[in-house]
Amino acid sequence: MNKKILIVVDYQNDFINGVLGFKEAVEIKPFIINKIKEYQKSNSEIIFLKDTHDENYLNTIEGKKLPIVHTIKNTHGWDLPKEVVDLIGNNKIFEKNTFGSTLLFEYLKNKEYDSIELCGLLSNMCVLANAIIAKTCCPNAKIIIDKKCTTTISKDLNNKTLEIMKNLHFDII
């Protein structure tokens, strides 16, 4: 049996069309929704990661380097888009307050997957960080990044990030 999991990274309103939103983040929505449905049809696991900050965000190191208040817990910007919320079902949601998720690390360690696919935002930050966590926890799993299902604020930066991911032996499809 092919044991696989999809990790949807930070596909939240603030990154799509909120304070940190950009056109390409909106454009990948149908591809992410189709990817989630594809995994649901095969009864595969799905985990949703949510960037989660509080009112103290601007006092954090990240807040000092990126002084734009975003994904404050229980705000509209923190939420996933309705089309994604409608697909969550009984799947897990892990909140994280930095690029990589310690909850994801704890969940994946000592598990064996044939493949781990990641999608969402931003390719050069949280997708990359969590793909490295997945590879660390499951070194023999194929790590898959569908380039139609991730992006970042610049096409050039996205392409460079995909090249780095390829160098890390991730399968870019």
Side-chain angles (χ1 to χ4, degrees):
M1 186 171 117
N2 184 13
K3 189 171 179 194
K4 61 185 192 171
I5 185 170
L6 175 67
I7 301 168
V8 181
V9 181
D10 298 356
Y11 199 67
Q12 295 164 264
N13 291 326
D14 268 350
F15 294 120
I16 300 166
N17 52 19
V19 295
L20 293 172
F22 56 106
K23 178 176 67 96
E24 292 82 2
V26 174
E27 291 171 350
I28 66 171
K29 186 187 285 185
F31 299 106
I32 289 179
I33 289 169
N34 287 338
K35 186 70 68 175
I36 294 167
K37 288 178 179 178
E38 174 188 319
Y39 273 76
Q40 286 176 327
K41 281 183 192 160
S42 67
N43 289 317
S44 297
E45 265 185 279
I46 303 170
I47 292 176
F48 296 86
L49 299 182
K50 290 181 79 174
D51 192 50
T52 303
H53 300 294
D54 60 26
E55 296 76 28
N56 192 41
Y57 172 75
L58 291 175
N59 295 321
T60 66
I61 289 176
E62 180 183 330
K64 289 177 177 30
K65 293 189 179 273
L66 177 65
I68 300 171
V69 176
H70 64 282
T71 61
I72 302 299
K73 188 170 182 158
N74 297 322
T75 64
H76 175 75
W78 176 74
D79 289 332
L80 303 167
K82 182 185 179 336
E83 303 92 326
V84 174
V85 169
D86 291 346
L87 298 173
I88 292 173
N90 294 324
N91 292 295
K92 292 174 177 37
I93 299 173
F94 294 157
E95 295 176 11
K96 59 184 192 57
N97 65 353
T98 189
F99 305 132
S101 170
T102 56
L103 292 173
L104 180 66
F105 177 88
E106 290 299 322
Y107 183 79
L108 292 178
K109 77 178 186 183
N110 305 318
K111 288 211 170 44
E112 292 188 25
Y113 291 95
D114 296 308
S115 68
I116 301 171
E117 184 166 357
L118 292 95
C119 65
L121 300 170
L122 297 169
S123 63
N124 65 308
M125 297 172 92
C126 296
V127 173
L128 175 61
N130 288 288
I132 291 171
I133 287 171
K135 188 65 170 175
T136 301
C137 292
C138 303
N140 292 312
K142 182 191 304 187
I143 307 297
I144 302 166
I145 310 290
D146 185 337
K147 58 187 169 193
K148 292 188 306 291
C149 296
T150 189
T151 191
T152 194
I153 55 171
S154 119
K155 194 171 279 195
D156 183 51
L157 182 56
N158 190 56
N159 289 336
K160 287 176 182 173
T161 302
L162 293 172
E163 190 62 33
I164 288 168
M165 290 182 186
K166 191 174 174 185
N167 243 2
L168 293 169
H169 303 164
F170 302 163
D171 289 4
I172 310 302
I173 59 172

